[in-house]
Amino acid sequence: MTLKLNTGYADSFVTANDMSAIMPEVEAAFKTLHEGTGMGNYSLGWLDLPVNYDKAEFEAIKKAAEKIRSTSDILIVIGIGGSYLGARAVIEFIKSANFNSRRNGAPEIYFAGNSISSSYLAQLVELCEGRDFSVNVISKSGETTEPAVAFKIFRQMLEKKYGKEGAKEHIFATTDKTKGRLKELSDKNGYQTFVVPDDVGGRYSVLTAVGLLPIAVAGIDIDALMKGAADARVKYLDPDVANNDCCKYAAMRNVMYRKGKKIELAVSYEPAFAMMGEWFKQLFGESEGKNGKGLFPASAIFSTDLHSLGQYVQQGERHIFETVVFINEPLADIEISADPENADGLNFLAGKTVSFINRKAFEATAIAHEDGGVPSIVLELEREDEYSLGWLIYFFEKACAVSGYILGINPFNQPGVEDYKKNMYALLGKPGHEGRREAIERRLK
Ligand code: PA5
């Protein structure tokens, strides 16, 4: 089984009665989602995306990826939020967080436009100097400030290096199919464009060109990624929600929330999962955190963070539960050897593998945390490969949508993100935001 839901470390907290009580709401949420009658029903394209995607564009993505791989030492992926997290998470999970030092023939891949740090941007500019590079700029709206600023800088750099005509061969834009400033600019300058489908929101877009182009450039098998998601889609179509693990997970996290667990800590014992943790936080945080409601999503890598957050999790405020993604088969393993003198005192581990020790760390921690009042929902992922990851991505996307409907919010909008943007536009003097400017400036401390 690609993904196994293990509820054993949460049973003492989420009882069979709790589950039976919430099931009618889960059934209603599942039905609402599949009938397309709920809030945000204009954004359900991700539901069938693993089978219902633009096959011609998929092939064009592979071709563009090959072109970038053969012409560039570096790919700069420009985007923020849903327009970069999925790609970065998949690349690091499949190829390691150290991708740029072990990339097997692929260009180095760096991410820009996800902050407005001048130091960070200047360092990337310096990295590109004297080297061949390409840019994949990604913005569904085509208007977001952070990527727009970064794109301006790298576009000018490319034009200076290759000339306006030559730069066209190094710029790939992923955006709305008809509207937005990035689309206009791309059409005007003749950049190759890829589409963010109208009915797929940013945080659900990793399996569109948004994620797939950078992922393919990294040398990752995007067919296998889609196949994993497609098989998960079939698996979690089961309307018997009490036996549908995706719905069960959605139910459990809502039971946790109602019983006072306000924080969901997504945990993995693989450092390569760190960016998947970031992706998870965006998916659930932006989907559920509205109308004064929602679990606060956090993430951690264990055992690393047991030496930073571990004390709090074990004995701090009891408002946390964990969702542990444990990978059963690691990419590689190492056996611990015996030392005749046992100088390091580690002979009790001789003959055991590092992955065995990691599993024992997980089991020991799950029991300690359960004893300390922190239950764990465990998702055992079979392998660290494309197929399994595609499956996991679909699992979380669907669980998030079902959870959101159980919670009674629209899991597909993000109205709160606009507030800081409007203030920033006002402070920067963007036309159309003059009214707000004076009021904001008076409040600057
Ligand atoms: O999930 C979302 O919709 C957001 O995180 C967006 O992806 C993010 O704000 C970037 O928006 P855009 O792609 O329009 O630049």
Side-chain angles (χ1 to χ4, degrees), residues 287-326:
S287 297
E288 293 190 310
K290 48 199 73 152
N291 304 351
K293 302 188 206 177
L295 279 161
F296 182 82
S299 66
I301 298 297
F302 288 173
S303 63
T304 313
D305 293 327
L306 290 175
H307 297 259
S308 58
L309 293 173
Q311 171 59 37
Y312 188 103
V313 175
Q314 191 67 49
Q315 295 181 334
E317 201 170 332
R318 304 297 70 198
H319 55 180
I320 302 173
F321 74 93
E322 288 170 16
T323 292
V324 179
V325 177
F326 194 84

Side-chain angles (χ1 to χ4, degrees), residues 130-152:
R131 304 179 71 191
D132 283 308
F133 73 99
S134 292
V135 163
N136 179 201
V137 54
I138 307 163
S139 176
K140 181 175 168 126
S141 62
E143 311 281 341
T144 310
T145 308
E146 290 89 336
V149 168
F151 182 45
K152 190 181 182 88

Side-chain angles (χ1 to χ4, degrees), residues 319-378:
H319 55 180
I320 302 173
F321 74 93
E322 288 170 16
T323 292
V324 179
V325 177
F326 194 84
I327 292 137
N328 282 333
E329 275 181 36
L331 283 178
D333 217 342
I334 299 173
E335 194 179 300
I336 309 289
S337 58
D339 168 7
E341 288 167 21
N342 196 20
D344 55 13
L346 286 181
N347 272 2
F348 73 101
L349 294 176
K352 304 205 165 68
T353 60
V354 174
S355 74
F356 173 83
I357 302 169
N358 204 25
R359 176 169 277 280
K360 294 300 141 192
F362 149 59
E363 291 165 354
T365 306
I367 290 169
H369 286 182
E370 192 183 18
D371 289 347
V374 177
S376 298
I377 302 172
V378 179

Side-chain angles (χ1 to χ4, degrees), residues 80-83 139-141 144 202-203 282 286 414:
I80 193 165
S83 289
S139 176
K140 181 175 168 126
S141 62
T144 310
R203 56 192 174 275
Q282 194 219 0
E286 215 168 73
Q414 57 283 331

